[in-house]
Amino acid sequence: MMFRKILIANRGEIALRVICACKELGISTVAVYSEADRNSLHVRFADEAVCIGPARSTQSYLNIPHVISAAEITDVDAIHPGYGFLSENANFAEVCEASHITFIGPSPDLLRLMGEKEQARREMSALGLPIVPGSQGILADAETAAADAERIGYPVIVKASAGGGGRGMRVVRRPEELTAAWETARNEAQQAFGVPDVYLEKFIEHPRHIEFQVLGDRHGHVMHLGERECSIQRRHQKLVEESPSPAMDPKRREELGKKVVDALKTIGYTNAGTVEFLMDEDGSFYFIEMNARVQVEHPVTEMVTNVDLIKAQIRIAAGDQLADASGPVDFHGHSIECRINAEDPETFVPSAGRITTFQIPGGTGVRVDTAAHADAVIPPYYDSLIAKLIVRARDRSEAIARMRRALEMFVVEGIKTSIPLHQRIFADPDFAAGKFDTHFLERLGPVSSK
């Protein structure tokens, strides 16, 4: 049975995106907001809104008792967590269950499994997915790290087990650097995630970052919706995503996609998720992690498959079969997304403040997901993402041309944004040729060198 009312435990463009999906499904919505977001669009367009605390996310969007209280006061059936914040928090999912509120996402056990990166690596390896050579579990001490590094071979990378977004990660090229890197990564992991555990992997020098979008229902069905190329990154933070990947071909897609689906069927995966891989210079794939939630870059998959992933999440959580939740899957064309961040395009320093002009591009094949507008204030407390500019076209070359003109017609004044950096990326001949890896931005150089 479809839900009556859903609370969106998030803010910004993803909260607005979920509200749009709920409106089309005839579901009432409840927004939660911090004091800094009182005048935000997700508050305006939800049917109800509840303030859950001060500006700091630890006192509002990450405050589980406050979110649950808002859900109980407004008598909702379900909570959609979006991405970030509580979206992969197994404890939050458990509290939802105990409160008889459906958590729109995987089960707490699956969230826990995928949240422990080293445990997830072992599980996926046992289920047939290739993994990067690494340590046999969490590194107990620097001596264990040194022994594992010698066995694996330098360079290696120390990674936080509970990590993500590039935090708690250190590349080590020589044995004498390992102890300091191990200690630094542990400290960063403790500060960022509350867990100091780290593990070791072989460091691939020039990888591409490729991920598969998956959906699973509560009836044992799992499918993938193709791959996304996410190699254009800055410090492990994605800036440009596209589907399909220019490095893939139908045979590789079919082979790896089948392995992904078979593995997730075995563990009983439900709802949306993304299985992430590194591809080395030889074209070999290695599983690195799974994000058990919807991704920031989900629109590029929607554009090339004609599947509304947010509606599918809601329908799956309500008990629908996968085929009914997704509808027909029709792969066509090419889609690219640019993350427009409120930050200096050269130094990447966040740029909070009031937007004085906000003119989004339009036209054939252009989509903008945003909660920003003229006169909106971008607060300094949250992620710097203010908009996602997505294009779809017949092929990759047309998509690049469309993105270039859309970037030129995207006007934001009053704050600095990453638009000039994106324009430089899309003017680069190597990007146009699909010749890049995760170090592309390091070779591109600063925006000011145009």
Side-chain angles (χ1 to χ4, degrees), residues 29 41 50 61 136 198 205 218 231 240 249-250 359 413:
T29 54
L41 289 186
V50 180
Y61 297 107
Q136 303 298 313
V198 295
E205 289 283 3
R218 296 182 174 183
S231 298
V240 177
D249 57 53
Q359 178 63 48
E413 295 175 347

Side-chain angles (χ1 to χ4, degrees), residues 5 9 58 73 88 167 305 313 338 432:
K5 188 188 292 188
T58 52
I73 289 167
E88 295 179 280
R167 290 170 294 183
T305 62
Q313 283 190 290
C338 287

Side-chain angles (χ1 to χ4, degrees), residues 34 50 94 102 125 325 345 351 385:
S34 71
V50 180
E94 282 182 339
T102 300
S125 177
S351 179
L385 178 71

Side-chain angles (χ1 to χ4, degrees), residues 213-216 221-225 261 265 307 322-323 326-327 329:
Q213 174 70 57
V214 297
L215 286 173
H221 307 120
V222 177
M223 70 176 177
H224 77 79
L225 294 166
V261 167
K265 276 184 180 177
V307 174
L322 187 54
S326 69
V329 181

Side-chain angles (χ1 to χ4, degrees), residues 295-362:
Q295 294 276 85
V296 175
E297 60 270 22
H298 76 272
V300 293
T301 296
E302 293 182 328
M303 297 290 263
V304 297
T305 62
N306 204 33
V307 174
D308 186 319
L309 287 169
I310 305 299
K311 283 187 183 177
Q313 283 190 290
I314 294 168
R315 287 180 166 131
I316 288 168
D320 280 7
Q321 296 265 355
L322 187 54
D324 295 326
S326 69
V329 181
D330 176 26
F331 290 94
H332 61 285
H334 198 97
S335 182
I336 307 177
E337 172 182 296
C338 287
R339 300 192 189 191
I340 309 302
N341 296 324
E343 61 188 22
D344 188 296
E346 295 182 37
T347 65
F348 306 112
V349 172
S351 179
R354 186 177 299 276
I355 297 174
T356 56
T357 303
F358 193 77
Q359 178 63 48
I360 65 173

